[in-house]
């Protein structure tokens, strides 16, 4: 197998030893990967920070933002296999919301390791609203309590479920258990959200929700019903038959906008690789190799381009 070794200039042809890339079933001629992110988002490139080949999807982002601005809650689900660009679109949604003064952007995420940790997906949200700190720092705990409504401060130990405050039980919370404790915890968290976002529209954005824990789902369900109008944005891999009931309900709801990310067309892949490498164009041999081997998958296309560059088999002019 033979590919070009230069970009945006004259190129030579060399023989490449075959290896196997993660996620691919066949071998192809690249060397091991290393330090490929060095020029991933070069500030010199005009397309850095924007998705490519997703014009319809970006229009859906704007539509999702228009609902809350008009007084109606909106839900947007971005769904696709790993590496298809869900997180990039989620970040674009966050950036577009943040650019509008009426929105306050609150972002969380699921994690494969923490999928059984209660409210893990909400922890970044409440760290944004109440401040992050060290559980051994009494001043941090005092600051968190001071941000609560005075009437809610006896319930402050319930925040231990979301933040590592290690607050001792109060006389009130010590008597709460089961459904009563769950209901009061949700009510306290919603009160914090309501107070912190007063006068603005909450944009609750959660990526990798296929790893979201059950209590995070439960709180999200209650938030979307009680904090209207708001924007809910979710990034997820396909669940199949294992989807939580709340996600299935949201996905099938009449007002939900669903974006399903598929492979990119060849011209978009070439533009994406050019952006990642910080070049204007690719030699035809390189473009053809990436097109044939990655089959329109954005992440695999990037990885193959980085592998060629890092192995010294693809020379970027101007480096």
């Amino acid at each position: 197998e033979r590919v070009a070794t230069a970009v945006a200039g004259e190129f030579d042809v060399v023989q490449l030893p075959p290896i196997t890339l993660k996620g691919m079933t066949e071998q192809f001629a690249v060397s091991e990967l290393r330090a490929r992110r060095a020029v991933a988002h070069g500030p010199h490139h005009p397309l850095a920070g924007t998705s490519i080949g997703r014009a319809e999807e970006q229009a859906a982002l704007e539509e999702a933002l228009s609902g809350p601005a008009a007084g109606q809650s909106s839900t947007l689900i971005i769904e696709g296999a790993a590496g298809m660009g869900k997180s990039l679109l989620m970040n674009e949604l966050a950036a577009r919301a943040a650019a509008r003064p009426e929105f306050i952007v609150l972002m969380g995420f699921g994690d494969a390791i923490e999928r059984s940790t209660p409210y893990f997906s909400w922890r970044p949200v409440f760290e944004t609203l109440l401040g992050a700190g060290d559980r051994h720092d009494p001043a941090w705990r005092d600051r968190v309590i001071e941000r609560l409504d005075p009437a809610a401060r006896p319930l402050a130990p319930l925040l231990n479920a979301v933040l590592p405050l290690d607050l001792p039980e109060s006389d009130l919370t010590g008597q709460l258990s089961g459904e009563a404790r769950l209901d009061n915890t949700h009510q306290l968290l919603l009160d914090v959200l309501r107070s912190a976002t007063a006068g603005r529209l909450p944009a609750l954005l959660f990526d990798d929700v296929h790893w979201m824990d059950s209590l995070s789902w439960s709180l999200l369900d209650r938030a979307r019903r009680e904090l209207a109008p708001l924007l809910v944005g979710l990034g997820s891999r396909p669940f199949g038959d294992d989807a939580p009931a709340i996600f299935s309900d949201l996905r099938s709801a009449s007002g939900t906008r669903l974006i399903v990310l598929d492979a990119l067309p060849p011209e978009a892949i070439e533009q994406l690789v050019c952006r990642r490498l910080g070049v204007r164009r690719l030699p035809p041999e390189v473009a053809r190799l990436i097109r044939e081997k990655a089959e329109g998958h954005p992440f695999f296309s990037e990885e193959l381009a980085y592998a060629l560059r890092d192995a010294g088999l693809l020379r970027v002019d101007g480096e």
Side-chain angles (χ1 to χ4, degrees):
E1 186 171 354
R2 296 156 69 84
V3 300
T5 62
V7 174
E10 294 300 320
F11 53 87
D12 304 319
V13 174
V14 297
Q15 189 75 25
L16 304 178
I19 69 167
T20 300
L21 277 184
K22 181 180 178 181
M24 304 298 287
T25 58
E26 58 181 308
Q27 289 187 328
F28 48 109
V30 294
S31 186
E32 64 180 351
L33 310 178
R34 67 178 187 272
R36 63 180 56 92
R37 297 297 179 186
V39 297
H41 291 283
H44 61 281
H45 201 286
L47 292 175
T50 61
S51 18
I52 292 173
R54 303 291 191 193
E56 292 183 8
E57 290 82 356
Q58 292 184 45
L61 303 186
E62 286 298 317
E63 291 175 5
L65 291 167
S66 66
Q72 297 180 336
S73 292
S74 178
T75 299
L76 177 69
I77 296 176
I78 303 172
E79 188 176 286
M84 280 294 177
K86 298 183 301 297
S87 294
L88 181 58
L89 274 177
M90 286 293 293
N91 288 336
E92 283 196 34
L93 179 61
R96 290 173 187 238
R100 301 188 179 197
E102 66 268 29
F103 281 97
I104 177 170
V105 178
L106 301 169
M107 300 189 70
F109 57 90
D111 184 272
I113 297 175
E114 303 287 355
R115 63 193 311 172
S116 298
T117 302
Y119 303 108
F120 178 82
S121 297
W122 283 89
R123 188 175 297 174
V125 172
F126 288 100
E127 287 178 343
T128 297
L129 298 177
L130 296 174
D134 184 345
R135 71 177 65 204
H136 302 297
D137 180 7
W140 174 51
R141 295 195 295 269
D142 291 342
R143 288 194 299 272
V144 170
I145 294 173
E146 288 172 1
R147 294 187 181 188
L148 300 179
D149 184 276
R153 289 174 186 172
L155 293 171
L158 298 179
L159 294 175
N160 291 337
V162 183
L163 297 176
L165 291 163
D166 288 344
L167 293 171
E169 296 283 359
S170 66
D171 292 340
L172 177 56
T173 61
Q175 301 176 44
L176 297 174
S177 62
E179 286 297 321
R181 190 177 185 90
L182 178 64
D183 184 68
N184 278 273
T185 299
H186 283 186
Q187 189 60 58
L188 176 62
L189 295 174
L190 290 176
D191 287 345
V192 171
L193 277 167
R194 192 176 290 109
S195 175
T197 60
R200 301 178 72 185
L201 299 172
L204 296 175
L205 310 181
F206 294 91
D207 202 3
D208 292 331
V209 299
H210 46 280
W211 289 320
M212 184 181 281
D213 61 277
S214 60
L215 285 175
S216 287
W217 278 116
S218 180
L219 180 59
L220 177 61
D221 184 49
R222 187 162 172 180
R224 73 182 182 90
R225 289 185 282 109
E226 298 187 20
L227 298 181
L230 81 166
L231 168 65
V232 174
L234 306 176
S236 179
R237 296 180 189 175
F239 269 107
D241 296 332
D242 298 326
I246 297 170
F247 178 82
S248 297
D249 291 345
L250 279 172
R251 194 180 188 278
S252 60
S254 58
T256 295
R257 291 171 175 82
L258 176 64
I259 295 175
V260 178
L261 298 180
D262 295 316
L264 288 173
E267 61 274 11
I269 287 294
E270 184 167 349
Q271 189 180 6
L272 173 65
V273 171
C274 285
R275 183 183 76 174
R276 291 294 189 251
L277 295 176
V279 301
R280 292 184 298 276
R281 65 181 180 88
L282 298 175
E285 289 86 348
V286 174
R288 183 170 60 251
L289 174 71
I290 293 173
R291 181 171 62 250
E292 292 175 354
K293 297 302 181 180
E295 298 181 343
H297 193 291
F299 178 74
F300 291 157
S301 299
E302 293 176 8
E303 294 300 289
L304 178 52
Y306 291 137
L308 293 170
R309 183 201 66 191
D310 295 345
L313 300 168
L314 185 65
R315 187 180 70 252
V316 178
D317 282 358
E319 284 193 333

